[in-house]
Amino acid sequence: MKIAVVYNRESQAVINLFGTQNREKYGLETIRRIKDGLKKGGHEVETFEGDKNLIQNLENFMPSVISGERPGLVFNLSYGIQGRGRYMHVPGMLEMLGIPYVGSGPETHALALDKVVTKILLLQRGLPTPKFAVLDTPDSPLNEGLHYPLIVKPKDEAVSFGLRIVHNEKELREGVQVIYDTYDAPTLVEEYIQGREVNVGLLGNKPTEALPPVELVFGEGPQIFTYEDKKNESGRTVEKVCPAHLTEEETERVKELAVKTFEVLNCYDSARVDFRIDEQGNPYILEVNSMASLGADGSFVYAAEKVGLDYPALMNRIIDVTCERYFGKNFFDEESHESKTPASRIFQRLTTNRGKLEADLKAWTNISSRTEDAVGLSSVRKRLEEKLGKLAMEPVPAFSNGRSAWTWQTKAGLKDGTLIVVPIDVPGQRTGFPIPFRKEQEWIYGEGVASSRGGLTTILASLQALKDEKVLGKTKTGVFFYSDEGRGMRYSSLMLEKAAAEAKEVIVMQPGFVEGKVVDQRRGAKQYHVIVEGDPERIGKSAKPLDVLSWFLEKTDKLKGLNSRQKKIAVAVQDLKSERYSVLMPHRVTATIAITYIDEAIAEKTEAELHKLFKASKQGMKTYVEKITERPPLLHKKEHQLLPKLQKWSEAYQLPFGTESSLLATAAGNVPVDIPTVCGFAPASKHLFTPNEAMHRSELVQRSVLLALYLQGERT
């Protein structure tokens, strides 16, 4: 699964820096070890700073999951950047985003970080903790009747910041003054428990496992674990002994108290409870570390090693207990997740490799191959042929023209199989640099990312999954790719007709619609080149009929009368250019006019009307009307052999699926009418054929899964 390790170290990326700054940081070596340990567990891991850019980074790294896919998770190491509530910042953001995360929630961190509130809760539940008082200022009276020696520390800081033992009033006031000046916070004063210090690590949720107690042996100096000790700056070595030298009864007692403390504060997944044990063996709870240190020299890691959990095993065990909490105890149970069928194994292969899918999509998108770019098209073709060759597929010369259309097939051949159709050119007369690839939570942007690259990536991912499952060679599958989509398939349509006639069904990888909708009906399209030539006229000259530009505009106004919603036909001028001499009126007008339609008979009548409308009506005027492209419609069939099969697989794996009609003509119209055809099988798009073209992010894996499941299902 995808795991984002979130920490705070160098970044101060916030809108404003103010208030209490965080002093707690994980070392880079510890972050690296955590990342490596999780990777060893088979996870896809990235690291991010817990700053204002976190939301965008997580959106890019872990998009919304599909049904049945294991969601991403955050391994939270974030102590925050600033503020007294800094422990709560990242967990609060993650809860808002709906992202599962390791560790306690923001409310628990708020309680645990405030040592006074923690002690009050412990006392309410009858759990032992040293007597205490709170001094708001250095001059605040101490009225609770505490006995020296005492411990002073900030009420809401961690890792022993400001911690010291005081033996009299003078030392007490000095200690409180330092805390007040340094942290601008009240001071917690509690009775010092003469005796031993023991830490108990906790792991898991209901039941929570208490790790063997770890005793801290301080040697010379103060018998407390200071900040300098933790930073290895005190000049002494604090020895850790595990299991602690306690009686069996004392061991069970501190473990029981640790678990109860964990539950009182509503901790999750892991924590550490620190104790002092007096000379009579009575334990006292000092504090709760809701984010127990995972440093290699920390007592939590040390105790885990004693029960057989090395560092990678501990990191992955923390992930396991977190997933059990969110998704149930069987989430990582190998037997329950064992893929027993080819289909389930294919599903798992594709859903656990979303990162590679998106990396492949980026690589394809970053190769520019506009329709007019012969060099770019050659690069894409060669790369695609290399990929197909590695899949052990073979070219089919009979259905290739070597210039604009190519067909490849599996070892089982294409005959009576499934032909998958995809364009490799990016249509549109574009200028300037290609639009760069970028990702958002739901959409991926880039030049041709939806019109071409989404379909290419989907096909290759599906075929690779079949190859990994060792079934690709047995499937009757062909891939037809072409390079003149931007020219209306003027040169490749004949090859497609021949290849489709060899197959028993065709899937066209043009963008579909959101919610998994494919296209079962598309309008046809015809394009016409219209030229009007005449004598150049002077501006302002009174002449009848009008100059050629005015004449053409008058005719185009009448085109509106050819449109009919009822008859499902539309006529529009797509392009218009004029030529003129100096200050004279234009003497030549060139235009492109398009017709979209469902009924061929109505289209032919409209074409006749078009010729009639643009017939020359002035002496010296010449007109030309020439059809330049023709793309037949894809017509809805009442009995469709392909759609029910796709519906079956989508329901079996809870993939979104449906049908829709489209106004755009595609290669689907060039498939013989007796061949079952589905179009719009590539991921859904928005702003198609524009600089803002985008592809629906989740549908990249959804479509890859559905295509692979369908192809392997057809083998049986």
Side-chain angles (χ1 to χ4, degrees), residues 305-323:
E305 290 174 349
K306 298 301 180 180
V307 294
L309 292 173
D310 63 13
Y311 202 84
L314 176 59
M315 298 305 106
N316 286 283
R317 178 60 184 148
I318 292 173
I319 293 296
D320 287 358
V321 300
T322 302
C323 289

Side-chain angles (χ1 to χ4, degrees), residues 17 89 96 130 218 356:
L17 279 171
H89 293 168
M96 178 188 70
F218 300 105
K356 184 179 184 305

Side-chain angles (χ1 to χ4, degrees), residues 340-346 410-413 415-418 462-463 465-477 504-505 642 645 648-649 706-716:
K340 297 180 180 180
T341 66
S344 57
R345 288 193 292 268
I346 287 168
T410 59
K411 290 182 179 179
K415 187 172 179 58
D416 297 327
T418 304
S462 302
L463 297 179
L466 295 176
K467 183 176 185 292
D468 293 341
E469 192 56 34
K470 297 181 173 57
V471 299
L472 177 60
K474 301 174 184 178
T475 64
K476 293 183 178 182
T477 304
K504 72 171 183 179
E505 59 193 17
L642 191 50
K645 299 174 186 176
K648 180 195 73 170
W649 283 110
L706 184 56
L707 181 59
L709 292 176
Y710 179 75
L711 293 176
Q712 71 83 33
E714 286 305 289
R715 182 180 64 87
T716 59

Side-chain angles (χ1 to χ4, degrees), residues 20 108 154 576 645:
T20 305
T108 295
L576 177 64
K645 299 174 186 176

Side-chain angles (χ1 to χ4, degrees), residues 149-289:
L150 301 173
I151 294 287
V152 295
K153 50 189 171 184
K155 71 180 282 288
D156 53 6
E157 286 290 344
V159 292
S160 301
F161 288 134
L163 178 70
R164 64 184 292 186
I165 302 176
V166 297
H167 299 84
N168 52 51
E169 178 76 11
K170 180 176 181 297
E171 291 182 359
L172 171 66
R173 297 303 167 182
E174 289 174 350
V176 176
Q177 185 71 54
V178 169
I179 291 172
Y180 185 78
D181 293 341
T182 305
Y183 305 104
D184 189 24
T187 299
L188 171 63
V189 181
E190 63 182 10
E191 289 187 345
Y192 171 70
I193 305 299
Q194 185 71 38
R196 303 149 70 187
E197 187 153 330
V198 171
N199 299 335
V200 178
L202 297 143
L203 188 59
N205 308 284
K206 298 180 180 179
T208 301
E209 175 188 1
L211 299 175
V214 177
E215 182 174 354
L216 305 182
V217 180
F218 300 105
E220 299 296 327
Q223 297 301 292
I224 57 174
F225 204 19
T226 65
Y227 176 70
E228 291 72 22
D229 290 328
K230 293 180 178 181
K231 299 293 289 183
N232 296 317
E233 296 173 355
S234 64
R236 67 176 179 176
T237 299
V238 177
E239 182 184 358
K240 297 180 180 66
V241 178
C242 183
H245 295 154
L246 302 175
T247 67
E248 184 176 341
E249 182 179 349
E250 289 172 336
T251 298
E252 291 305 313
R253 176 60 175 156
V254 294
K255 290 171 73 172
E256 178 187 4
L257 288 172
V259 171
K260 287 183 178 179
T261 302
F262 188 91
E263 294 172 348
V264 166
L265 268 68
N266 198 30
C267 295
Y268 291 137
D269 306 332
S270 66
R272 193 189 75 236
V273 179
D274 299 343
F275 292 87
R276 294 287 292 193
I277 300 178
D278 68 16
E279 295 170 344
Q280 288 74 44
N282 299 312
Y284 293 86
I285 302 166
L286 299 181
E287 61 183 71
V288 181
N289 292 273

Side-chain angles (χ1 to χ4, degrees), residues 627-638:
K627 187 191 305 180
I628 53 177
T629 63
E630 181 170 8
R631 311 194 76 173
L634 170 66
L635 300 177
H636 173 76
K637 298 180 178 65
K638 291 183 179 180

